[in-house]
Amino acid sequence: HNMPAPRGNEVTTINCFVDVDHAGNQVTRRLHTGILIFLNRAPISWFSKKQNTVESSTFGSEFVAMKTAAEQIMALRYKLRMFGIPIDGPANVFCDNEAVVTNSSIPTSTIKKKHISICYHLVRSYCAAGGMRVTKENGKTNLSGSQKRRLAGMFLYA
């Protein structure tokens, strides 16, 4: 209710690439999350972090990463709106796991692990609210993949 009036040109696209290196750490078997966010085709945010949990399935690890991406998109959209920048449409989120893409749009999925269930419901509710749209992207072309994540880090911090 206290947002400034929208000014200037709209942000037409927010694209987010999400990927997980499942059990990539040979010692701890922890997962590595990679998130790359583009605003109007310009990279503005790069996130790479070892997850705190050890997942037995790629489905669970991808949903944990998707939750992190959804939280970052929510924060970005809020920040842009508080600056008075209008936003057009939902953010496009690209993920390489078909089950995660499908379950992000189906409200009747049952998930047994509590922490994955929390991640699922946050992602699902944000998709239903129109904040983001999850789409399948091939793992070889996903810009947040493990090899490309290392290269992106070199370019963004060089």
Side-chain angles (χ1 to χ4, degrees):
H1 63 86
N2 61 351
M3 283 191 268
R7 285 173 266 181
N9 296 332
E10 289 183 335
V11 170
T12 55
T13 56
I14 299 173
N15 290 325
C16 177
F17 293 87
V18 180
D19 197 16
V20 174
D21 184 10
H22 184 70
N25 188 323
Q26 297 297 321
V27 177
T28 63
R29 291 293 186 209
R30 287 196 178 168
L31 314 158
H32 207 98
T33 299
I35 299 170
L36 190 57
I37 300 177
F38 288 81
L39 189 62
N40 285 351
R41 296 183 0 197
I44 61 158
S45 178
W46 174 73
F47 178 83
S48 178
K49 184 181 178 196
K50 187 176 2 173
Q51 290 182 3
N52 295 329
T53 60
V54 177
E55 296 294 332
S56 59
S57 69
T58 56
F59 177 79
S61 60
E62 292 277 352
F63 253 114
V64 171
M66 191 67 69
K67 176 187 151 281
T68 304
E71 290 170 341
Q72 288 186 2
I73 292 168
M74 284 184 231
L76 175 65
R77 291 176 71 95
Y78 183 78
K79 188 182 297 183
L80 291 172
R81 278 302 292 127
M82 284 299 153
F83 286 151
I85 300 170
I87 303 167
D88 182 33
N92 300 310
V93 180
F94 301 98
C95 171
D96 63 353
N97 190 312
E98 186 71 40
V100 171
V101 172
T102 303
N103 283 287
S104 295
S105 59
I106 297 174
T108 58
S109 296
T110 56
I111 298 173
K112 295 179 182 174
K113 291 184 179 178
K114 188 171 187 174
H115 72 283
I116 297 173
S117 179
I118 291 168
C119 296
Y120 164 77
H121 287 294
L122 185 133
V123 170
R124 176 66 198 119
S125 65
Y126 196 51
C127 287
M132 68 184 212
R133 175 180 39 221
V134 181
T135 313
K136 174 107 168 63
E137 175 75 24
N138 188 338
K140 293 180 181 175
T141 57
N142 191 334
L143 295 177
S144 64
S146 60
Q147 290 291 1
K148 292 178 182 136
R149 188 177 329 127
R150 289 187 199 103
L151 291 173
M154 286 186 250
F155 291 120
L156 292 176
Y157 295 109

